[in-house]
Amino acid sequence: MKLIKKSNRNFIWITVLVFPLACIVLFLGLQKISMLEIDEKLLLLENRITKQLKENKTVSSLAPLIVISEIKNITKEKKVWGIAKIYDKEEGEKDNFRELKSYKKINGISYEIKLREDLIEGEDFLFLIAAVFFSILLLVIFLLYYFNKKLSQKIWKPFYKNLKILKEFSLQKESVSSFEDSDIDEFKELKTALEELTKKAKTDYVTLKEFTENASHEIQTPLAIISLNLEDILQGEHTESDYKKLNSSMQSIKRLSKINEKLLLLAKIENQQFSSSKSIDLTQIIKDKIEELELLIESKNLEIRQNYNDDFVIKLDPFLANTLIINLLSNAIKFTPDNGLIEIICVSDCIEINNPCEDNIDIKNLFERFTKNTSKNVPVNNSRQNSVGLGLAIVKKITDVNNLKINAVVENKTFKIFIKK
Protein backbone atom coordinates (compact mmCIF):
# COMPACT_ATOMS: atom_id res chain seq x y z
CA MET A 1 0.00 0.00 0.00
CA LYS A 2 1.32 3.44 -0.93
CA LEU A 3 2.13 5.91 1.83
CA ILE A 4 -0.36 8.57 0.70
CA LYS A 5 -3.13 5.97 0.43
CA LYS A 6 -2.39 4.65 3.91
CA SER A 7 -2.32 8.21 5.31
CA ASN A 8 -5.68 9.02 3.72
CA ARG A 9 -7.16 5.78 5.05
CA ASN A 10 -5.96 6.55 8.58
CA PHE A 11 -7.38 10.05 8.30
CA ILE A 12 -10.77 8.68 7.24
CA TRP A 13 -10.83 6.19 10.13
CA ILE A 14 -10.00 8.91 12.64
CA THR A 15 -12.72 11.13 11.18
CA VAL A 16 -15.29 8.33 11.34
CA LEU A 17 -14.43 7.65 14.98
CA VAL A 18 -14.44 11.32 16.01
CA PHE A 19 -17.63 12.19 14.08
CA PRO A 20 -20.20 10.49 16.42
CA LEU A 21 -18.49 11.93 19.49
CA ALA A 22 -18.53 15.40 17.94
CA CYS A 23 -22.24 15.05 17.15
CA ILE A 24 -23.06 14.07 20.75
CA VAL A 25 -21.00 16.90 22.22
CA LEU A 26 -22.55 19.41 19.83
CA PHE A 27 -26.06 18.13 20.56
CA LEU A 28 -25.60 18.37 24.33
CA GLY A 29 -24.04 21.81 24.01
CA LEU A 30 -26.78 23.19 21.77
CA GLN A 31 -29.45 21.58 23.93
CA LYS A 32 -28.01 23.27 27.02
CA ILE A 33 -27.81 26.67 25.31
CA SER A 34 -31.30 26.28 23.87
CA MET A 35 -32.70 25.35 27.29
CA LEU A 36 -31.09 28.39 28.91
CA GLU A 37 -32.57 30.66 26.25
CA ILE A 38 -36.04 29.15 26.73
CA ASP A 39 -35.79 29.46 30.51
CA GLU A 40 -34.80 33.10 30.19
CA LYS A 41 -37.71 33.73 27.87
CA LEU A 42 -40.17 32.06 30.25
CA LEU A 43 -38.88 34.12 33.19
CA LEU A 44 -39.35 37.37 31.24
CA LEU A 45 -42.86 36.32 30.32
CA GLU A 46 -43.61 35.41 33.93
CA ASN A 47 -42.41 38.85 35.12
CA ARG A 48 -44.56 40.58 32.53
CA ILE A 49 -47.70 38.63 33.52
CA THR A 50 -47.01 39.25 37.21
CA LYS A 51 -46.74 42.97 36.54
CA GLN A 52 -50.01 43.01 34.61
CA LEU A 53 -51.81 41.12 37.41
CA LYS A 54 -50.48 43.58 39.98
CA GLU A 55 -51.95 46.40 37.88
CA ASN A 56 -55.27 44.54 37.89
CA LYS A 57 -55.12 44.10 34.16
CA THR A 58 -56.81 41.15 32.57
CA VAL A 59 -54.42 38.47 31.34
CA SER A 60 -55.93 35.93 29.00
CA SER A 61 -54.85 32.30 29.07
CA LEU A 62 -53.46 30.84 25.87
CA ALA A 63 -53.37 27.06 26.37
CA PRO A 64 -51.18 25.24 26.35
CA LEU A 65 -48.54 28.03 26.30
CA ILE A 66 -50.07 30.28 28.98
CA VAL A 67 -52.44 28.94 31.67
CA ILE A 68 -53.36 31.22 34.57
CA SER A 69 -55.64 29.94 37.29
CA GLU A 70 -56.60 30.98 40.80
CA ILE A 71 -55.88 28.48 43.53
CA LYS A 72 -56.27 28.11 47.26
CA ASN A 73 -54.28 30.35 49.52
CA ILE A 74 -50.56 29.58 49.35
CA THR A 75 -48.15 30.11 52.21
CA LYS A 76 -45.00 30.42 50.08
CA GLU A 77 -44.28 31.56 46.56
CA LYS A 78 -42.20 29.17 44.44
CA LYS A 79 -41.16 28.26 40.91
CA VAL A 80 -41.14 24.71 39.56
CA TRP A 81 -39.29 23.82 36.34
CA GLY A 82 -40.05 20.72 34.33
CA ILE A 83 -40.83 19.05 30.99
CA ALA A 84 -44.49 18.61 30.10
CA LYS A 85 -45.85 16.20 27.50
CA ILE A 86 -49.05 17.54 25.98
CA TYR A 87 -51.13 15.76 23.37
CA ASP A 88 -51.55 17.63 20.08
CA LYS A 89 -54.88 16.73 18.46
CA GLU A 90 -53.89 18.10 15.06
CA GLU A 91 -50.61 16.15 14.84
CA GLY A 92 -51.97 13.19 16.76
CA GLU A 93 -48.94 12.91 19.05
CA LYS A 94 -47.52 14.27 22.27
CA ASP A 95 -45.20 17.26 22.11
CA ASN A 96 -42.53 18.18 24.61
CA PHE A 97 -42.73 21.57 26.32
CA ARG A 98 -40.41 23.35 28.70
CA GLU A 99 -42.69 24.28 31.60
CA LEU A 100 -42.43 26.89 34.34
CA LYS A 101 -45.02 26.64 37.16
CA SER A 102 -45.02 29.79 39.20
CA TYR A 103 -47.08 30.06 42.42
CA LYS A 104 -47.63 33.71 43.42
CA LYS A 105 -49.87 35.76 45.72
CA ILE A 106 -50.84 39.00 43.99
CA ASN A 107 -53.20 41.57 45.50
CA GLY A 108 -54.35 38.97 48.03
CA ILE A 109 -55.20 36.36 45.39
CA SER A 110 -53.15 33.14 44.91
CA TYR A 111 -52.32 32.27 41.33
CA GLU A 112 -50.80 29.28 39.54
CA ILE A 113 -49.15 30.52 36.39
CA LYS A 114 -48.16 27.81 33.92
CA LEU A 115 -45.87 29.01 31.12
CA ARG A 116 -44.70 26.64 28.40
CA GLU A 117 -42.38 26.80 25.40
CA ASP A 118 -42.33 24.17 22.65
CA LEU A 119 -39.11 22.11 22.50
CA ILE A 120 -37.57 20.77 19.35
CA GLU A 121 -37.70 16.99 19.45
CA GLY A 122 -34.32 15.65 20.61
CA GLU A 123 -34.20 12.91 17.98
CA ASP A 124 -35.07 15.35 15.21
CA PHE A 125 -32.51 17.77 16.58
CA LEU A 126 -29.80 15.10 16.67
CA PHE A 127 -30.72 13.87 13.20
CA LEU A 128 -30.50 17.39 11.84
CA ILE A 129 -27.08 17.88 13.40
CA ALA A 130 -25.89 14.50 12.11
CA ALA A 131 -27.19 15.23 8.61
CA VAL A 132 -25.44 18.61 8.50
CA PHE A 133 -22.28 17.18 9.95
CA PHE A 134 -22.31 14.23 7.57
CA SER A 135 -22.76 16.50 4.57
CA ILE A 136 -19.91 18.73 5.70
CA LEU A 137 -17.79 15.68 6.48
CA LEU A 138 -18.28 14.21 3.02
CA LEU A 139 -17.43 17.52 1.43
CA VAL A 140 -14.31 17.94 3.58
CA ILE A 141 -13.14 14.37 2.95
CA PHE A 142 -13.64 14.73 -0.79
CA LEU A 143 -11.83 18.06 -0.95
CA LEU A 144 -9.00 16.86 1.29
CA TYR A 145 -8.60 13.64 -0.69
CA TYR A 146 -8.63 15.46 -4.02
CA PHE A 147 -6.25 18.26 -3.10
CA ASN A 148 -4.07 15.98 -1.00
CA LYS A 149 -3.77 13.57 -3.92
CA LYS A 150 -2.86 16.34 -6.35
CA LEU A 151 -0.44 17.91 -3.91
CA SER A 152 1.11 14.58 -2.97
CA GLN A 153 1.64 13.66 -6.61
CA LYS A 154 3.61 16.85 -7.04
CA ILE A 155 5.54 16.45 -3.78
CA TRP A 156 6.34 12.76 -4.31
CA LYS A 157 7.14 13.07 -8.01
CA PRO A 158 10.95 13.26 -7.44
CA PHE A 159 10.78 10.26 -5.11
CA TYR A 160 8.98 8.02 -7.61
CA LYS A 161 11.24 9.14 -10.44
CA ASN A 162 14.33 8.33 -8.37
CA LEU A 163 12.78 5.01 -7.42
CA LYS A 164 12.25 4.20 -11.10
CA ILE A 165 15.87 5.13 -11.89
CA LEU A 166 17.03 2.90 -9.03
CA LYS A 167 14.94 -0.04 -10.30
CA GLU A 168 16.45 0.37 -13.78
CA PHE A 169 19.97 0.71 -12.39
CA SER A 170 22.34 -1.87 -13.82
CA LEU A 171 26.03 -2.37 -13.24
CA GLN A 172 26.45 -3.23 -16.91
CA LYS A 173 25.30 0.22 -18.08
CA GLU A 174 28.02 2.70 -18.80
CA SER A 175 26.04 5.66 -17.46
CA VAL A 176 23.36 6.13 -14.82
CA SER A 177 20.42 8.52 -15.24
CA SER A 178 20.61 11.62 -13.07
CA PHE A 179 18.44 11.53 -9.98
CA GLU A 180 15.64 14.11 -9.64
CA ASP A 181 16.18 17.21 -7.48
CA SER A 182 13.64 18.27 -4.84
CA ASP A 183 13.12 21.19 -2.45
CA ILE A 184 12.26 18.74 0.37
CA ASP A 185 15.18 18.09 2.73
CA GLU A 186 14.47 14.36 3.16
CA PHE A 187 14.33 13.83 -0.61
CA LYS A 188 17.56 15.82 -1.01
CA GLU A 189 19.27 13.51 1.48
CA LEU A 190 17.83 10.47 -0.30
CA LYS A 191 19.12 11.75 -3.67
CA THR A 192 22.60 12.29 -2.24
CA ALA A 193 22.63 8.84 -0.63
CA LEU A 194 21.47 7.17 -3.87
CA GLU A 195 24.12 8.95 -5.91
CA GLU A 196 26.84 7.87 -3.49
CA LEU A 197 25.48 4.31 -3.33
CA THR A 198 25.27 3.81 -7.11
CA LYS A 199 28.66 5.42 -7.63
CA LYS A 200 30.27 3.13 -5.03
CA ALA A 201 28.49 0.06 -6.42
CA LYS A 202 29.71 0.95 -9.92
CA THR A 203 33.27 1.46 -8.71
CA ASP A 204 33.28 -1.77 -6.70
CA TYR A 205 31.83 -3.67 -9.65
CA VAL A 206 34.47 -2.40 -12.08
CA THR A 207 37.22 -3.11 -9.55
CA LEU A 208 35.98 -6.64 -8.93
CA LYS A 209 35.52 -7.30 -12.62
CA GLU A 210 39.03 -6.13 -13.44
CA PHE A 211 40.45 -8.12 -10.54
CA THR A 212 38.79 -11.40 -11.53
CA GLU A 213 39.80 -10.99 -15.17
CA ASN A 214 43.37 -9.99 -14.33
CA ALA A 215 43.71 -12.68 -11.66
CA SER A 216 42.46 -15.34 -14.02
CA HIS A 217 44.82 -14.21 -16.78
CA GLU A 218 47.80 -13.89 -14.48
CA ILE A 219 47.18 -17.29 -12.87
CA GLN A 220 46.49 -19.07 -16.16
CA THR A 221 49.79 -17.99 -17.72
CA PRO A 222 52.15 -19.50 -15.10
CA LEU A 223 49.93 -22.59 -14.93
CA ALA A 224 50.33 -23.06 -18.67
CA ILE A 225 54.11 -22.64 -18.37
CA ILE A 226 54.31 -25.14 -15.51
CA SER A 227 52.14 -27.59 -17.44
CA LEU A 228 54.36 -27.34 -20.55
CA ASN A 229 57.50 -27.79 -18.49
CA LEU A 230 56.09 -30.84 -16.75
CA GLU A 231 55.05 -32.38 -20.06
CA ASP A 232 58.56 -31.79 -21.37
CA ILE A 233 60.12 -33.37 -18.27
CA LEU A 234 57.79 -36.37 -18.51
CA GLN A 235 59.23 -37.13 -21.96
CA GLY A 236 62.54 -38.09 -20.35
CA GLU A 237 63.51 -41.23 -18.44
CA HIS A 238 62.57 -41.34 -14.76
CA THR A 239 62.27 -43.82 -12.01
CA GLU A 240 58.79 -45.15 -11.34
CA SER A 241 58.59 -43.10 -8.13
CA ASP A 242 59.59 -39.85 -9.88
CA TYR A 243 57.22 -40.54 -12.74
CA LYS A 244 54.29 -40.94 -10.33
CA LYS A 245 55.17 -37.66 -8.62
CA LEU A 246 55.48 -35.81 -11.93
CA ASN A 247 52.21 -37.27 -13.21
CA SER A 248 50.43 -36.32 -9.96
CA SER A 249 51.78 -32.78 -10.26
CA MET A 250 50.59 -32.63 -13.86
CA GLN A 251 47.07 -33.70 -12.86
CA SER A 252 47.01 -31.14 -10.05
CA ILE A 253 48.06 -28.37 -12.45
CA LYS A 254 45.27 -29.31 -14.85
CA ARG A 255 42.77 -29.41 -12.00
CA LEU A 256 43.96 -26.02 -10.74
CA SER A 257 43.51 -24.61 -14.23
CA LYS A 258 39.94 -25.93 -14.36
CA ILE A 259 39.18 -24.46 -10.94
CA ASN A 260 40.51 -21.09 -12.08
CA GLU A 261 38.32 -21.09 -15.19
CA LYS A 262 35.20 -22.12 -13.30
CA LEU A 263 35.73 -19.61 -10.49
CA LEU A 264 36.09 -16.89 -13.09
CA LEU A 265 32.85 -18.08 -14.70
CA LEU A 266 31.09 -17.97 -11.32
CA ALA A 267 32.33 -14.44 -10.71
CA LYS A 268 31.07 -13.32 -14.11
CA ILE A 269 27.66 -14.87 -13.47
CA GLU A 270 27.41 -13.27 -10.03
CA ASN A 271 28.37 -9.89 -11.50
CA GLN A 272 25.72 -10.38 -14.22
CA GLN A 273 28.19 -9.95 -17.05
CA PHE A 274 26.02 -12.16 -19.28
CA SER A 275 23.12 -9.95 -20.35
CA SER A 276 22.41 -10.95 -23.97
CA SER A 277 19.23 -12.89 -23.18
CA LYS A 278 17.46 -14.65 -26.04
CA SER A 279 14.65 -17.17 -26.35
CA ILE A 280 16.44 -20.48 -25.92
CA ASP A 281 15.02 -23.98 -26.32
CA LEU A 282 16.86 -26.03 -23.68
CA THR A 283 15.35 -29.20 -25.09
CA GLN A 284 17.28 -28.73 -28.36
CA ILE A 285 20.46 -27.89 -26.47
CA ILE A 286 20.15 -31.16 -24.52
CA LYS A 287 19.88 -33.10 -27.77
CA ASP A 288 22.93 -31.32 -29.20
CA LYS A 289 25.04 -31.86 -26.08
CA ILE A 290 24.18 -35.56 -25.93
CA GLU A 291 25.59 -35.90 -29.46
CA GLU A 292 28.73 -34.01 -28.42
CA LEU A 293 29.19 -36.32 -25.43
CA GLU A 294 28.54 -39.47 -27.46
CA LEU A 295 32.09 -40.79 -27.13
CA LEU A 296 32.08 -40.38 -23.33
CA ILE A 297 28.68 -42.06 -23.13
CA GLU A 298 29.85 -44.98 -25.25
CA SER A 299 33.06 -45.35 -23.23
CA LYS A 300 30.94 -46.11 -20.14
CA ASN A 301 28.33 -48.04 -22.14
CA LEU A 302 25.53 -45.85 -20.77
CA GLU A 303 21.92 -45.82 -21.92
CA ILE A 304 20.34 -42.40 -22.42
CA ARG A 305 16.55 -42.57 -22.31
CA GLN A 306 15.02 -39.33 -23.63
CA ASN A 307 11.38 -38.32 -23.17
CA TYR A 308 10.51 -34.95 -24.73
CA ASN A 309 6.83 -34.09 -24.20
CA ASP A 310 7.26 -30.42 -24.98
CA ASP A 311 9.88 -27.73 -25.57
CA PHE A 312 11.37 -25.94 -22.56
CA VAL A 313 11.78 -22.36 -23.86
CA ILE A 314 13.15 -19.53 -21.70
CA LYS A 315 15.00 -16.23 -22.09
CA LEU A 316 18.66 -16.90 -21.30
CA ASP A 317 22.15 -15.98 -22.44
CA PRO A 318 23.20 -18.62 -25.03
CA PHE A 319 26.58 -19.22 -23.36
CA LEU A 320 24.93 -19.73 -19.96
CA ALA A 321 22.31 -22.01 -21.50
CA ASN A 322 25.03 -24.26 -22.94
CA THR A 323 26.99 -24.15 -19.68
CA LEU A 324 23.88 -25.10 -17.70
CA ILE A 325 23.10 -28.16 -19.81
CA ILE A 326 26.69 -29.37 -20.23
CA ASN A 327 27.24 -29.24 -16.46
CA LEU A 328 24.03 -31.15 -15.75
CA LEU A 329 24.77 -33.85 -18.33
CA SER A 330 28.45 -34.10 -17.37
CA ASN A 331 27.51 -34.51 -13.72
CA ALA A 332 25.04 -37.29 -14.57
CA ILE A 333 27.53 -39.11 -16.84
CA LYS A 334 30.44 -38.83 -14.39
CA PHE A 335 28.59 -40.28 -11.43
CA THR A 336 26.65 -42.96 -13.26
CA PRO A 337 28.38 -46.37 -13.05
CA ASP A 338 29.25 -48.25 -16.23
CA ASN A 339 26.28 -49.83 -18.04
CA GLY A 340 23.96 -47.48 -16.13
CA LEU A 341 20.81 -45.65 -17.27
CA ILE A 342 20.32 -41.89 -17.49
CA GLU A 343 16.75 -40.69 -18.01
CA ILE A 344 15.91 -37.20 -19.31
CA ILE A 345 12.31 -35.88 -19.18
CA CYS A 346 11.36 -32.52 -20.69
CA VAL A 347 8.02 -30.70 -20.53
CA SER A 348 7.15 -27.05 -21.12
CA ASP A 349 7.95 -25.94 -17.57
CA CYS A 350 10.31 -28.59 -16.17
CA ILE A 351 13.45 -30.55 -17.05
CA GLU A 352 14.20 -33.69 -15.04
CA ILE A 353 17.44 -35.68 -15.22
CA ASN A 354 17.66 -39.02 -13.36
CA ASN A 355 20.76 -41.21 -12.83
CA PRO A 356 21.81 -43.97 -10.40
CA CYS A 357 23.57 -42.78 -7.25
CA GLU A 358 24.63 -43.63 -3.71
CA ASP A 359 22.07 -43.33 -0.92
CA ASN A 360 24.10 -40.93 1.20
CA ILE A 361 24.29 -37.86 -1.05
CA ASP A 362 24.18 -34.68 1.02
CA ILE A 363 21.31 -32.89 -0.75
CA LYS A 364 21.51 -29.96 1.68
CA ASN A 365 25.04 -28.98 0.58
CA LEU A 366 24.78 -30.36 -2.95
CA PHE A 367 24.96 -26.96 -4.67
CA GLU A 368 27.71 -25.56 -2.45
CA ARG A 369 31.12 -24.96 -3.98
CA PHE A 370 33.67 -27.79 -3.82
CA THR A 371 31.06 -30.32 -2.61
CA LYS A 372 31.68 -33.77 -4.10
CA ASN A 373 29.39 -35.95 -1.96
CA THR A 374 31.84 -38.82 -1.74
CA SER A 375 30.96 -41.81 0.39
CA LYS A 376 33.39 -43.31 2.91
CA ASN A 377 32.11 -46.78 2.09
CA VAL A 378 32.40 -46.50 -1.68
CA PRO A 379 35.71 -46.33 -3.55
CA VAL A 380 36.51 -42.95 -5.08
CA ASN A 381 36.62 -43.30 -8.85
CA ASN A 382 38.46 -41.20 -11.39
CA SER A 383 35.43 -39.06 -12.04
CA ARG A 384 35.37 -37.90 -8.46
CA GLN A 385 39.10 -37.33 -8.43
CA ASN A 386 38.97 -35.17 -11.55
CA SER A 387 35.90 -33.23 -10.44
CA VAL A 388 36.63 -29.72 -9.12
CA GLY A 389 33.36 -29.54 -7.20
CA LEU A 390 32.02 -26.47 -8.99
CA GLY A 391 29.73 -27.92 -11.66
CA LEU A 392 26.47 -27.87 -9.68
CA ALA A 393 27.47 -24.61 -7.97
CA ILE A 394 27.63 -23.01 -11.42
CA VAL A 395 24.28 -24.58 -12.34
CA LYS A 396 22.72 -23.18 -9.15
CA LYS A 397 24.11 -19.69 -9.80
CA ILE A 398 22.82 -19.69 -13.40
CA THR A 399 19.32 -20.68 -12.27
CA ASP A 400 19.31 -18.09 -9.46
CA VAL A 401 20.17 -15.11 -11.66
CA ASN A 402 17.68 -16.18 -14.36
CA ASN A 403 14.56 -16.76 -12.24
CA LEU A 404 14.70 -20.54 -12.49
CA LYS A 405 14.19 -23.03 -9.67
CA ILE A 406 16.44 -26.01 -9.09
CA ASN A 407 16.10 -28.82 -6.58
CA ALA A 408 17.26 -32.40 -6.21
CA VAL A 409 16.10 -35.54 -4.42
CA VAL A 410 17.33 -39.11 -3.96
CA GLU A 411 14.75 -41.87 -4.36
CA ASN A 412 15.51 -45.61 -4.52
CA LYS A 413 19.21 -45.04 -5.26
CA THR A 414 18.26 -42.64 -8.07
CA PHE A 415 19.46 -39.05 -8.09
CA LYS A 416 16.82 -36.73 -9.57
CA ILE A 417 17.50 -33.10 -10.38
CA PHE A 418 14.76 -30.69 -11.54
CA ILE A 419 14.96 -27.36 -13.37
CA LYS A 420 11.67 -25.44 -13.30
CA LYS A 421 10.47 -22.06 -14.53
Side-chain angles (χ1 to χ4, degrees):
M1 183 183 296
K2 291 187 177 180
L3 178 62
I4 184 61
K5 189 174 181 180
K6 189 172 183 64
S7 299
N8 284 338
R9 180 174 292 183
N10 291 337
F11 168 76
I12 292 173
W13 274 113
I14 292 172
T15 304
V16 169
L17 292 174
V18 171
F19 170 68
L21 180 62
C23 285
I24 294 171
V25 172
L26 181 61
F27 169 71
L28 295 176
L30 291 177
Q31 188 182 51
K32 183 67 176 177
I33 294 172
S34 175
M35 193 67 72
L36 290 174
E37 289 293 329
I38 292 173
D39 290 350
E40 185 178 352
K41 183 178 178 181
L42 291 176
L43 287 172
L44 289 174
L45 182 58
E46 187 247 358
N47 290 334
R48 190 178 300 117
I49 292 174
T50 300
K51 184 179 179 181
Q52 290 178 347
L53 290 174
K54 286 181 179 179
E55 295 175 353
N56 294 317
K57 292 182 179 180
T58 302
V59 181
S60 301
S61 294
L62 184 60
L65 301 179
I66 301 174
V67 179
I68 302 172
S69 57
E70 295 182 8
I71 60 176
K72 294 180 179 180
N73 189 36
I74 59 174
T75 57
K76 184 179 179 181
E77 293 184 354
K78 62 179 179 178
K79 293 183 178 67
V80 180
W81 294 94
I83 302 296
K85 291 183 177 290
I86 300 175
Y87 182 78
D88 189 334
K89 294 180 179 180
E90 294 181 359
E91 294 184 3
E93 61 180 12
K94 289 184 177 181
D95 293 332
N96 291 330
F97 290 85
R98 179 62 167 167
E99 182 181 68
L100 170 60
K101 291 181 180 180
S102 179
Y103 298 90
K104 290 181 175 293
K105 195 169 186 179
I106 303 172
N107 298 331
I109 302 174
S110 296
Y111 292 95
E112 180 189 50
I113 304 172
K114 293 181 181 179
L115 303 176
R116 301 186 181 102
E117 183 71 24
D118 193 11
L119 294 175
I120 300 175
E121 290 290 342
E123 294 179 357
D124 295 339
F125 195 39
L126 184 59
F127 176 78
L128 178 62
I129 295 173
V132 173
F133 252 58
F134 186 71
S135 301
I136 296 174
L137 178 66
L138 286 179
L139 180 62
V140 170
I141 290 175
F142 174 77
L143 292 176
L144 283 176
Y145 178 81
Y146 178 78
F147 288 111
N148 198 24
K149 184 179 179 181
K150 293 294 182 182
L151 185 61
S152 297
Q153 287 176 346
K154 183 178 180 181
I155 293 174
W156 286 84
K157 184 178 179 182
F159 172 81
Y160 287 113
K161 185 172 182 181
N162 290 338
L163 183 62
K164 182 181 179 182
I165 294 173
L166 190 62
K167 287 180 178 179
E168 295 174 351
F169 172 73
S170 174
L171 293 172
Q172 283 75 39
K173 291 183 179 179
E174 293 295 330
S175 59
V176 181
S177 302
S178 299
F179 289 100
E180 184 82 1
D181 288 320
S182 174
D183 56 355
I184 299 175
D185 292 340
E186 288 79 3
F187 289 168
K188 285 182 181 179
E189 293 179 12
L190 178 63
K191 174 179 176 289
T192 303
L194 289 176
E195 288 175 341
E196 293 177 355
L197 177 65
T198 52
K199 184 178 179 180
K200 187 176 185 302
K202 195 78 174 177
T203 303
D204 292 345
Y205 167 74
V206 173
T207 302
L208 180 61
K209 180 182 177 183
E210 291 177 351
F211 171 77
T212 53
E213 291 175 350
N214 293 338
S216 175
H217 176 74
E218 294 300 325
I219 292 174
Q220 203 68 26
T221 301
L223 286 177
I225 295 172
I226 295 171
S227 179
L228 288 173
N229 289 335
L230 284 174
E231 287 181 357
D232 187 52
I233 294 172
L234 282 170
Q235 300 303 317
E237 294 183 0
H238 304 282
T239 63
E240 184 177 351
S241 176
D242 290 341
Y243 182 81
K244 288 182 178 180
K245 291 178 182 179
L246 289 171
N247 186 60
S248 176
S249 298
M250 188 67 181
Q251 296 301 321
S252 297
I253 291 296
K254 290 181 178 180
R255 184 171 180 274
L256 186 59
S257 180
K258 288 181 180 179
I259 291 175
N260 182 55
E261 291 176 359
K262 291 185 180 293
L263 286 175
L264 177 62
L265 176 59
L266 272 171
K268 287 183 176 181
I269 296 172
E270 290 172 345
N271 295 332
Q272 298 183 357
Q273 292 179 236
F274 299 95
S275 56
S276 57
S277 297
K278 298 179 181 178
S279 291
I280 300 291
D281 182 7
L282 293 187
T283 306
Q284 185 59 48
I285 294 179
I286 291 174
K287 296 176 182 178
D288 296 339
K289 295 305 173 185
I290 289 176
E291 291 183 4
E292 293 178 13
L293 297 169
E294 187 66 31
L295 291 177
L296 181 59
I297 294 171
E298 290 179 355
S299 68
K300 299 185 69 174
N301 195 29
L302 302 179
E303 179 186 351
I304 307 294
R305 185 178 298 167
Q306 304 176 59
N307 186 359
Y308 303 110
N309 295 324
D310 206 346
D311 296 334
F312 188 97
V313 181
I314 57 169
K315 280 192 171 295
L316 188 62
D317 182 271
F319 176 79
L320 292 183
N322 282 275
T323 303
L324 174 69
I325 297 304
I326 198 68
N327 276 280
L328 288 172
L329 292 177
S330 297
N331 185 76
I333 293 171
K334 282 180 183 179
F335 299 111
T336 299
D338 293 351
N339 304 311
L341 168 66
I342 297 175
E343 185 178 18
I344 301 171
I345 302 172
C346 292
V347 293
S348 60
D349 60 351
C350 180
I351 294 175
E352 178 182 347
I353 300 178
N354 305 328
N355 63 275
C357 72
E358 303 159 10
D359 290 331
N360 60 343
I361 288 181
D362 185 5
I363 296 296
K364 183 179 179 181
N365 298 314
L366 182 67
F367 299 106
E368 298 295 328
R369 300 181 185 188
F370 305 109
T371 300
K372 298 182 185 179
N373 295 292
T374 57
S375 171
K376 293 182 180 179
N377 302 321
V378 180
V380 179
N381 58 28
N382 291 332
S383 295
R384 288 188 175 87
Q385 286 181 326
N386 295 328
S387 173
V388 297
L390 288 171
L392 291 181
I394 291 173
V395 169
K396 182 69 166 63
K397 187 59 63 176
I398 292 174
T399 56
D400 287 346
V401 300
N402 290 280
N403 297 320
L404 294 171
K405 294 181 180 179
I406 182 169
N407 65 298
V409 296
V410 176
E411 295 178 354
N412 300 322
K413 292 187 177 183
T414 301
F415 175 72
K416 299 181 177 182
I417 192 164
F418 303 89
I419 303 290
K420 298 181 180 180
K421 293 182 182 179

